[in-house]
Short mmCIF file of all heavy atoms in Angstrom, two decimals:
data_model
loop_
_atom_site.label_atom_id
_atom_site.label_comp_id
_atom_site.label_asym_id
_atom_site.label_seq_id
_atom_site.Cartn_x
_atom_site.Cartn_y
_atom_site.Cartn_z
N PRO A 1 -52.40 40.80 -80.65
CA PRO A 1 -52.90 40.46 -81.99
C PRO A 1 -53.35 39.01 -82.06
O PRO A 1 -52.81 38.13 -81.39
CB PRO A 1 -51.68 40.73 -82.88
CG PRO A 1 -50.80 41.62 -82.11
CD PRO A 1 -51.03 41.30 -80.66
N ASP A 2 -54.35 38.74 -82.88
CA ASP A 2 -54.83 37.37 -83.06
C ASP A 2 -53.73 36.53 -83.69
O ASP A 2 -52.96 37.01 -84.55
CB ASP A 2 -56.06 37.35 -83.98
CG ASP A 2 -57.27 37.99 -83.33
OD1 ASP A 2 -57.30 38.02 -82.09
OD2 ASP A 2 -58.17 38.47 -84.04
N ASN A 3 -53.67 35.27 -83.27
CA ASN A 3 -52.71 34.30 -83.83
C ASN A 3 -51.25 34.78 -83.73
O ASN A 3 -50.45 34.55 -84.63
CB ASN A 3 -53.05 33.98 -85.30
CG ASN A 3 -54.46 33.41 -85.43
OD1 ASN A 3 -54.88 32.59 -84.67
ND2 ASN A 3 -55.17 33.91 -86.47
N PHE A 4 -50.97 35.48 -82.64
CA PHE A 4 -49.58 35.96 -82.46
C PHE A 4 -48.63 34.79 -82.31
O PHE A 4 -48.89 33.80 -81.63
CB PHE A 4 -49.48 36.85 -81.24
CG PHE A 4 -48.04 37.20 -80.88
CD1 PHE A 4 -47.39 38.20 -81.56
CD2 PHE A 4 -47.37 36.50 -79.88
CE1 PHE A 4 -46.07 38.50 -81.26
CE2 PHE A 4 -46.05 36.79 -79.59
CZ PHE A 4 -45.39 37.81 -80.28
N SER A 5 -47.46 34.90 -82.95
CA SER A 5 -46.36 33.96 -82.79
C SER A 5 -45.08 34.74 -82.76
O SER A 5 -44.88 35.63 -83.61
CB SER A 5 -46.34 32.93 -83.93
OG SER A 5 -45.28 32.01 -83.75
N CYS A 6 -44.22 34.48 -81.80
CA CYS A 6 -42.97 35.27 -81.64
C CYS A 6 -42.15 35.24 -82.92
O CYS A 6 -41.94 34.19 -83.52
CB CYS A 6 -42.17 34.70 -80.47
SG CYS A 6 -40.64 35.64 -80.16
N TYR A 7 -41.69 36.43 -83.34
CA TYR A 7 -40.93 36.57 -84.56
C TYR A 7 -39.46 36.18 -84.38
O TYR A 7 -38.73 36.13 -85.38
CB TYR A 7 -41.02 38.00 -85.09
CG TYR A 7 -42.39 38.38 -85.56
CD1 TYR A 7 -43.29 39.05 -84.70
CD2 TYR A 7 -42.85 38.11 -86.85
CE1 TYR A 7 -44.55 39.42 -85.13
CE2 TYR A 7 -44.10 38.47 -87.28
CZ TYR A 7 -44.96 39.12 -86.40
OH TYR A 7 -46.22 39.47 -86.81
N TRP A 8 -39.03 36.01 -83.16
CA TRP A 8 -37.60 35.68 -82.95
C TRP A 8 -37.32 34.30 -83.55
O TRP A 8 -38.07 33.35 -83.35
CB TRP A 8 -37.30 35.67 -81.44
CG TRP A 8 -35.85 35.70 -81.12
CD1 TRP A 8 -35.07 34.66 -80.74
CD2 TRP A 8 -34.99 36.86 -81.13
NE1 TRP A 8 -33.77 35.06 -80.52
CE2 TRP A 8 -33.69 36.41 -80.74
CE3 TRP A 8 -35.18 38.20 -81.42
CZ2 TRP A 8 -32.62 37.27 -80.63
CZ3 TRP A 8 -34.11 39.05 -81.31
CH2 TRP A 8 -32.83 38.59 -80.92
N ARG A 9 -36.25 34.22 -84.31
CA ARG A 9 -35.95 32.99 -85.05
C ARG A 9 -35.79 31.77 -84.13
O ARG A 9 -35.20 31.85 -83.08
CB ARG A 9 -34.66 33.20 -85.87
CG ARG A 9 -34.83 34.26 -86.97
CD ARG A 9 -33.47 34.68 -87.54
NE ARG A 9 -33.58 36.01 -88.12
CZ ARG A 9 -32.52 36.77 -88.42
NH1 ARG A 9 -31.30 36.34 -88.18
NH2 ARG A 9 -32.70 37.97 -88.91
N ASP A 10 -36.38 30.69 -84.58
CA ASP A 10 -36.34 29.40 -83.87
C ASP A 10 -36.95 29.48 -82.47
O ASP A 10 -36.52 28.78 -81.54
CB ASP A 10 -34.88 28.91 -83.75
CG ASP A 10 -34.27 28.63 -85.11
OD1 ASP A 10 -35.01 28.24 -86.02
OD2 ASP A 10 -33.04 28.84 -85.30
N CYS A 11 -37.94 30.37 -82.31
CA CYS A 11 -38.63 30.47 -81.01
C CYS A 11 -40.01 29.82 -81.13
O CYS A 11 -40.26 28.77 -80.61
CB CYS A 11 -38.73 31.92 -80.55
SG CYS A 11 -39.70 32.11 -79.03
N GLY A 12 -40.94 30.51 -81.84
CA GLY A 12 -42.26 29.93 -82.07
C GLY A 12 -43.20 30.07 -80.90
O GLY A 12 -44.33 29.51 -80.96
N TRP A 13 -42.83 30.79 -79.84
CA TRP A 13 -43.72 30.99 -78.68
C TRP A 13 -45.01 31.69 -79.14
O TRP A 13 -44.96 32.72 -79.83
CB TRP A 13 -43.00 31.79 -77.64
CG TRP A 13 -43.77 32.08 -76.36
CD1 TRP A 13 -44.04 31.19 -75.37
CD2 TRP A 13 -44.32 33.34 -75.96
NE1 TRP A 13 -44.73 31.82 -74.35
CE2 TRP A 13 -44.91 33.15 -74.69
CE3 TRP A 13 -44.35 34.59 -76.54
CZ2 TRP A 13 -45.55 34.15 -74.00
CZ3 TRP A 13 -45.00 35.65 -75.87
CH2 TRP A 13 -45.57 35.39 -74.59
N ASP A 14 -46.16 31.16 -78.77
CA ASP A 14 -47.40 31.71 -79.29
C ASP A 14 -48.54 31.73 -78.27
O ASP A 14 -49.71 31.64 -78.64
CB ASP A 14 -47.86 30.91 -80.53
CG ASP A 14 -48.03 29.44 -80.22
OD1 ASP A 14 -47.88 29.06 -79.04
OD2 ASP A 14 -48.35 28.68 -81.14
N SER A 15 -48.19 31.83 -76.99
CA SER A 15 -49.26 31.77 -75.96
C SER A 15 -49.15 32.87 -74.93
O SER A 15 -49.15 32.60 -73.73
CB SER A 15 -49.22 30.39 -75.30
OG SER A 15 -47.91 30.13 -74.78
N PRO A 16 -49.07 34.16 -75.35
CA PRO A 16 -49.01 35.23 -74.33
C PRO A 16 -50.33 35.35 -73.61
O PRO A 16 -51.41 35.25 -74.18
CB PRO A 16 -48.69 36.48 -75.15
CG PRO A 16 -49.18 36.15 -76.55
CD PRO A 16 -48.96 34.69 -76.72
N ILE A 17 -50.25 35.58 -72.28
CA ILE A 17 -51.46 35.77 -71.48
C ILE A 17 -52.02 37.17 -71.71
O ILE A 17 -53.24 37.33 -71.81
CB ILE A 17 -51.10 35.59 -69.98
CG1 ILE A 17 -50.56 34.20 -69.74
CG2 ILE A 17 -52.33 35.85 -69.10
CD1 ILE A 17 -50.00 34.00 -68.34
N ASP A 18 -51.16 38.15 -71.77
CA ASP A 18 -51.57 39.54 -71.98
C ASP A 18 -50.38 40.30 -72.56
O ASP A 18 -49.33 39.72 -72.85
CB ASP A 18 -52.06 40.17 -70.66
CG ASP A 18 -51.06 40.02 -69.54
OD1 ASP A 18 -49.85 39.90 -69.81
OD2 ASP A 18 -51.49 39.99 -68.36
N ALA A 19 -50.53 41.62 -72.72
CA ALA A 19 -49.46 42.42 -73.30
C ALA A 19 -48.22 42.38 -72.45
O ALA A 19 -47.10 42.35 -72.98
CB ALA A 19 -49.96 43.87 -73.48
N GLY A 20 -48.37 42.39 -71.12
CA GLY A 20 -47.19 42.33 -70.25
C GLY A 20 -46.41 41.07 -70.42
O GLY A 20 -45.17 41.06 -70.44
N ASP A 21 -47.09 39.95 -70.58
CA ASP A 21 -46.45 38.65 -70.79
C ASP A 21 -45.66 38.69 -72.10
O ASP A 21 -44.53 38.21 -72.17
CB ASP A 21 -47.52 37.57 -70.84
CG ASP A 21 -46.95 36.15 -70.77
OD1 ASP A 21 -45.80 36.00 -70.33
OD2 ASP A 21 -47.63 35.21 -71.17
N LEU A 22 -46.24 39.26 -73.14
CA LEU A 22 -45.57 39.38 -74.43
C LEU A 22 -44.32 40.27 -74.32
O LEU A 22 -43.24 39.91 -74.82
CB LEU A 22 -46.54 39.96 -75.46
CG LEU A 22 -46.13 39.91 -76.93
CD1 LEU A 22 -47.37 39.94 -77.81
CD2 LEU A 22 -45.24 41.10 -77.29
N ILE A 23 -44.44 41.40 -73.60
CA ILE A 23 -43.31 42.30 -73.43
C ILE A 23 -42.15 41.60 -72.70
O ILE A 23 -41.00 41.75 -73.07
CB ILE A 23 -43.75 43.58 -72.70
CG1 ILE A 23 -44.70 44.39 -73.55
CG2 ILE A 23 -42.54 44.44 -72.27
CD1 ILE A 23 -45.43 45.50 -72.83
N ARG A 24 -42.50 40.89 -71.63
CA ARG A 24 -41.46 40.19 -70.85
C ARG A 24 -40.74 39.16 -71.75
O ARG A 24 -39.53 39.03 -71.67
CB ARG A 24 -42.07 39.51 -69.64
CG ARG A 24 -42.48 40.47 -68.56
CD ARG A 24 -42.89 39.74 -67.28
NE ARG A 24 -44.08 38.91 -67.43
CZ ARG A 24 -45.34 39.41 -67.34
NH1 ARG A 24 -45.52 40.69 -67.06
NH2 ARG A 24 -46.37 38.60 -67.47
N HIS A 25 -41.50 38.46 -72.54
CA HIS A 25 -40.90 37.45 -73.44
C HIS A 25 -39.93 38.09 -74.42
O HIS A 25 -38.81 37.60 -74.60
CB HIS A 25 -42.01 36.69 -74.18
CG HIS A 25 -41.51 35.69 -75.16
ND1 HIS A 25 -41.19 34.40 -74.79
CD2 HIS A 25 -41.24 35.77 -76.49
CE1 HIS A 25 -40.74 33.74 -75.86
NE2 HIS A 25 -40.76 34.55 -76.89
N VAL A 26 -40.36 39.18 -75.06
CA VAL A 26 -39.52 39.82 -76.06
C VAL A 26 -38.26 40.39 -75.44
O VAL A 26 -37.14 40.21 -75.95
CB VAL A 26 -40.30 40.93 -76.80
CG1 VAL A 26 -39.39 41.75 -77.69
CG2 VAL A 26 -41.45 40.32 -77.61
N PHE A 27 -38.38 41.04 -74.28
CA PHE A 27 -37.20 41.61 -73.62
C PHE A 27 -36.28 40.50 -73.13
O PHE A 27 -35.06 40.69 -73.04
CB PHE A 27 -37.60 42.50 -72.46
CG PHE A 27 -37.84 43.92 -72.86
CD1 PHE A 27 -38.95 44.62 -72.42
CD2 PHE A 27 -36.92 44.59 -73.67
CE1 PHE A 27 -39.16 45.94 -72.79
CE2 PHE A 27 -37.11 45.92 -74.03
CZ PHE A 27 -38.26 46.58 -73.59
N PHE A 28 -36.83 39.33 -72.79
CA PHE A 28 -35.97 38.25 -72.33
C PHE A 28 -35.13 37.72 -73.48
O PHE A 28 -34.02 37.22 -73.27
CB PHE A 28 -36.78 37.12 -71.70
CG PHE A 28 -36.02 36.34 -70.67
CD1 PHE A 28 -36.10 36.68 -69.32
CD2 PHE A 28 -35.19 35.28 -71.02
CE1 PHE A 28 -35.38 36.00 -68.35
CE2 PHE A 28 -34.47 34.56 -70.07
CZ PHE A 28 -34.57 34.92 -68.73
N HIS A 29 -35.63 37.83 -74.74
CA HIS A 29 -34.81 37.44 -75.88
C HIS A 29 -33.56 38.35 -75.95
O HIS A 29 -32.47 37.86 -76.25
CB HIS A 29 -35.60 37.58 -77.19
CG HIS A 29 -36.36 36.35 -77.55
ND1 HIS A 29 -35.77 35.11 -77.70
CD2 HIS A 29 -37.70 36.16 -77.79
CE1 HIS A 29 -36.67 34.21 -78.03
NE2 HIS A 29 -37.85 34.82 -78.09
N ALA A 30 -33.75 39.65 -75.69
CA ALA A 30 -32.61 40.58 -75.70
C ALA A 30 -31.60 40.19 -74.62
O ALA A 30 -30.39 40.13 -74.85
CB ALA A 30 -33.09 42.03 -75.51
N PHE A 31 -32.12 39.94 -73.42
CA PHE A 31 -31.25 39.53 -72.33
C PHE A 31 -30.56 38.21 -72.64
O PHE A 31 -29.33 38.06 -72.41
CB PHE A 31 -32.07 39.41 -71.05
CG PHE A 31 -31.35 38.77 -69.88
CD1 PHE A 31 -30.37 39.45 -69.21
CD2 PHE A 31 -31.66 37.47 -69.50
CE1 PHE A 31 -29.69 38.83 -68.15
CE2 PHE A 31 -31.01 36.86 -68.45
CZ PHE A 31 -30.02 37.55 -67.77
N HIS A 32 -31.31 37.24 -73.16
CA HIS A 32 -30.78 35.92 -73.49
C HIS A 32 -29.68 36.05 -74.53
O HIS A 32 -28.64 35.36 -74.45
CB HIS A 32 -31.90 35.02 -73.97
CG HIS A 32 -31.54 33.59 -74.06
ND1 HIS A 32 -31.89 32.78 -75.15
CD2 HIS A 32 -30.85 32.76 -73.22
CE1 HIS A 32 -31.45 31.56 -74.93
NE2 HIS A 32 -30.84 31.52 -73.77
N ALA A 33 -29.89 36.90 -75.54
CA ALA A 33 -28.86 37.10 -76.58
C ALA A 33 -27.56 37.61 -75.95
O ALA A 33 -26.46 37.20 -76.35
CB ALA A 33 -29.38 38.08 -77.64
N ARG A 34 -27.69 38.52 -74.99
CA ARG A 34 -26.48 39.08 -74.36
C ARG A 34 -25.73 38.03 -73.56
O ARG A 34 -24.51 37.92 -73.67
CB ARG A 34 -26.86 40.27 -73.44
CG ARG A 34 -25.64 40.87 -72.73
CD ARG A 34 -26.00 42.12 -71.97
NE ARG A 34 -26.91 41.92 -70.87
CZ ARG A 34 -26.51 41.46 -69.65
NH1 ARG A 34 -25.25 41.16 -69.44
NH2 ARG A 34 -27.40 41.31 -68.69
N ILE A 35 -26.41 37.24 -72.73
CA ILE A 35 -25.68 36.27 -71.89
C ILE A 35 -25.19 35.08 -72.75
O ILE A 35 -24.20 34.43 -72.36
CB ILE A 35 -26.51 35.80 -70.68
CG1 ILE A 35 -27.77 35.05 -71.12
CG2 ILE A 35 -26.83 36.98 -69.79
CD1 ILE A 35 -28.53 34.44 -69.92
N LYS A 36 -25.81 34.83 -73.89
CA LYS A 36 -25.25 33.81 -74.81
C LYS A 36 -23.91 34.31 -75.35
O LYS A 36 -22.98 33.53 -75.49
CB LYS A 36 -26.23 33.50 -75.94
CG LYS A 36 -27.36 32.58 -75.58
CD LYS A 36 -28.06 31.98 -76.79
CE LYS A 36 -28.74 33.04 -77.60
NZ LYS A 36 -29.52 32.45 -78.71
N LEU A 37 -23.86 35.60 -75.70
CA LEU A 37 -22.62 36.16 -76.18
C LEU A 37 -21.55 36.16 -75.08
O LEU A 37 -20.38 35.91 -75.35
CB LEU A 37 -22.85 37.57 -76.71
CG LEU A 37 -21.69 38.21 -77.46
CD1 LEU A 37 -21.26 37.35 -78.63
CD2 LEU A 37 -22.07 39.61 -77.93
N GLU A 38 -21.96 36.43 -73.83
CA GLU A 38 -21.02 36.36 -72.72
C GLU A 38 -20.47 34.94 -72.58
O GLU A 38 -19.30 34.72 -72.31
CB GLU A 38 -21.70 36.80 -71.41
CG GLU A 38 -22.13 38.25 -71.34
CD GLU A 38 -20.97 39.20 -71.15
OE1 GLU A 38 -19.82 38.75 -71.16
OE2 GLU A 38 -21.25 40.43 -71.01
N GLY A 39 -21.36 33.95 -72.74
CA GLY A 39 -20.93 32.56 -72.68
C GLY A 39 -19.97 32.21 -73.79
O GLY A 39 -18.96 31.52 -73.60
N TYR A 40 -20.27 32.70 -75.01
CA TYR A 40 -19.39 32.44 -76.15
C TYR A 40 -18.02 33.05 -75.93
O TYR A 40 -16.98 32.43 -76.23
CB TYR A 40 -20.04 33.01 -77.41
CG TYR A 40 -19.19 32.87 -78.65
CD1 TYR A 40 -19.10 31.62 -79.29
CD2 TYR A 40 -18.52 33.95 -79.19
CE1 TYR A 40 -18.33 31.48 -80.45
CE2 TYR A 40 -17.75 33.82 -80.35
CZ TYR A 40 -17.66 32.59 -80.98
OH TYR A 40 -16.89 32.44 -82.10
N LYS A 41 -17.97 34.29 -75.40
CA LYS A 41 -16.70 34.94 -75.12
C LYS A 41 -15.89 34.12 -74.11
O LYS A 41 -14.69 33.92 -74.31
CB LYS A 41 -16.95 36.35 -74.58
CG LYS A 41 -17.40 37.36 -75.59
CD LYS A 41 -17.75 38.70 -74.93
CE LYS A 41 -16.57 39.27 -74.17
NZ LYS A 41 -16.91 40.53 -73.48
N LYS A 42 -16.55 33.66 -73.06
CA LYS A 42 -15.86 32.89 -72.05
C LYS A 42 -15.35 31.58 -72.62
O LYS A 42 -14.23 31.14 -72.31
CB LYS A 42 -16.80 32.63 -70.85
CG LYS A 42 -16.13 31.94 -69.67
CD LYS A 42 -15.00 32.76 -69.10
CE LYS A 42 -15.45 34.10 -68.57
NZ LYS A 42 -14.32 34.87 -67.96
N GLN A 43 -16.14 30.97 -73.46
CA GLN A 43 -15.73 29.70 -74.08
C GLN A 43 -14.49 29.90 -74.94
O GLN A 43 -13.57 29.09 -74.93
CB GLN A 43 -16.90 29.19 -74.92
CG GLN A 43 -16.60 27.90 -75.71
CD GLN A 43 -17.75 27.57 -76.62
OE1 GLN A 43 -18.90 27.79 -76.31
NE2 GLN A 43 -17.43 27.01 -77.77
N GLN A 44 -14.47 31.00 -75.72
CA GLN A 44 -13.30 31.30 -76.56
C GLN A 44 -12.07 31.63 -75.73
O GLN A 44 -10.97 31.19 -76.05
CB GLN A 44 -13.66 32.44 -77.52
CG GLN A 44 -14.76 32.13 -78.49
CD GLN A 44 -14.41 31.00 -79.45
OE1 GLN A 44 -13.38 31.07 -80.12
NE2 GLN A 44 -15.25 30.01 -79.50
N GLU A 45 -12.25 32.43 -74.69
CA GLU A 45 -11.13 32.84 -73.83
C GLU A 45 -10.49 31.64 -73.18
O GLU A 45 -9.25 31.56 -73.05
CB GLU A 45 -11.61 33.82 -72.77
CG GLU A 45 -12.01 35.19 -73.31
CD GLU A 45 -12.70 36.01 -72.22
OE1 GLU A 45 -12.75 35.56 -71.06
OE2 GLU A 45 -13.20 37.12 -72.56
N MET A 46 -11.30 30.66 -72.74
CA MET A 46 -10.78 29.49 -72.03
C MET A 46 -10.47 28.34 -72.98
O MET A 46 -10.07 27.26 -72.55
CB MET A 46 -11.81 29.04 -70.97
CG MET A 46 -12.11 30.09 -69.91
SD MET A 46 -13.27 29.50 -68.67
CE MET A 46 -12.29 28.24 -67.83
#
């Protein structure tokens, strides 16, 4: 889409090369959210 900007909060990424680049970026947010939670759990446990 024209003038695309990532909807993920506090991201603002707006320069996808193609649809694949956009898909990788969005899925990486999901992965990043998971490992941030893993880090938070470890921080609380220790």
Side-chain angles (χ1 to χ4, degrees):
D2 292 336
N3 301 317
F4 171 80
S5 180
C6 181
Y7 292 95
W8 195 258
R9 295 167 204 163
D10 298 327
C11 175
W13 181 74
D14 57 4
S15 54
I17 301 170
D18 52 27
D21 192 20
L22 192 156
I23 293 168
R24 288 189 293 276
H25 177 86
V26 172
F27 272 133
F28 208 93
H29 272 304
F31 169 73
H32 192 224
R34 179 173 66 80
I35 62 173
K36 281 196 296 185
L37 189 57
E38 294 286 5
Y40 178 76
K41 287 175 57 182
K42 185 60 63 178
Q43 178 186 325
Q44 296 297 306
E45 291 170 6
M46 300 181 68

